Amino acid sequence: MNKAVFLDRDGVINEVLSKRVKFVNNPSQFYLLEGVGEAIRLFNEASIPTFVVTNQGGVGLGFMKEASLIKVHKRMVEELAKYGAYIDDIAYCPHKPKAGCACRKPEAQMLLDLASTHNIDLPSSIMVGDREPDIEAGKKAGCKTVFIGDETDNSAQANIVFPHLIAAAPWILEELT
């Protein structure tokens, strides 16, 4: 079985709730955060499977169509490719918040499904997120967890906190290689 890194999308990979963009409902609103391309390329170079697990309640709420979400993810892949980086697979929950589905974080179904599909050992893997539901989903799946943000916002008690993904990359690489 393989070790992997699971990344939340909004706030870990791309800007959200910033001066430039509030929510990412179409490809033109997708802006890669600084250092993300480099961090993911480092994971790729170390042969660490890298996955995106993202709640996209805007689909269920009618703010965007699933076809638009697919286009946003295509833009993400294109932007990462500029850094020689790639994502192995993407899982998303299109349901409304509070829909009670098994896939929406803080539930762990997206991680469990990816682990099953890609032969991933969850206790040896890492979930990276910027919100409490991301960390809770990682814990429920049995992963180590990394909180992206400020220590004072780490209410879910992730294993470790870093200000952004590129700062977390050396720790993640050490844990997974």
Side-chain angles (χ1 to χ4, degrees):
M1 295 189 99
N2 300 307
K3 300 176 183 179
V5 62
F6 298 90
L7 305 171
D8 173 52
R9 195 191 82 187
D10 297 332
V12 173
I13 293 176
N14 61 276
E15 285 184 32
V16 68
L17 302 174
S18 70
K19 291 179 183 177
R20 256 196 302 200
V21 62
K22 185 172 181 178
F23 299 109
V24 181
N25 291 325
N26 65 63
S28 68
Q29 297 168 319
F30 185 90
Y31 298 99
L32 212 56
L33 289 167
E34 189 174 336
V36 167
E38 295 90 340
I40 293 174
R41 184 184 69 239
L42 290 171
F43 304 150
N44 299 153
E45 289 171 351
S47 299
I48 298 167
T50 305
F51 303 109
V52 172
V53 289
T54 181
N55 288 344
Q56 293 299 317
V59 174
L61 293 169
F63 294 122
M64 70 187 303
K65 301 278 185 209
E66 205 158 355
S68 294
L69 177 61
I70 300 301
K71 290 177 184 173
V72 168
H73 288 159
K74 183 176 185 276
R75 169 80 183 263
M76 176 180 66
V77 167
E78 291 167 352
E79 291 298 310
L80 288 171
K82 293 176 183 177
Y83 295 88
Y86 60 90
I87 297 295
D88 290 279
D89 204 348
I90 301 167
Y92 62 89
C93 171
H95 305 114
K96 294 179 186 179
K98 300 180 184 169
C101 62
C103 56
R104 186 172 182 83
K105 294 178 287 178
E107 299 308 321
Q109 196 63 52
M110 288 188 284
L111 286 84
L112 298 172
D113 289 347
L114 286 167
S116 175
T117 300
H118 297 279
N119 196 32
I120 302 300
D121 180 44
L122 288 167
S124 300
S125 297
I126 296 173
M127 173 66 205
V128 181
D130 68 322
R131 295 179 56 245
E132 189 173 337
D134 305 322
I135 303 308
E136 289 177 8
K139 286 180 173 184
K140 286 179 182 178
C143 297
K144 293 176 188 160
T145 55
V146 173
F147 182 77
I148 299 298
D150 186 273
E151 181 67 50
T152 59
D153 296 325
N154 184 21
S155 59
Q157 299 297 302
N159 294 100
I160 196 162
V161 177
F162 291 97
H164 37 72
L165 187 59
I166 192 66
W171 185 86
I172 293 169
L173 288 165
E174 187 174 317
E175 290 292 314
L176 298 181
T177 55

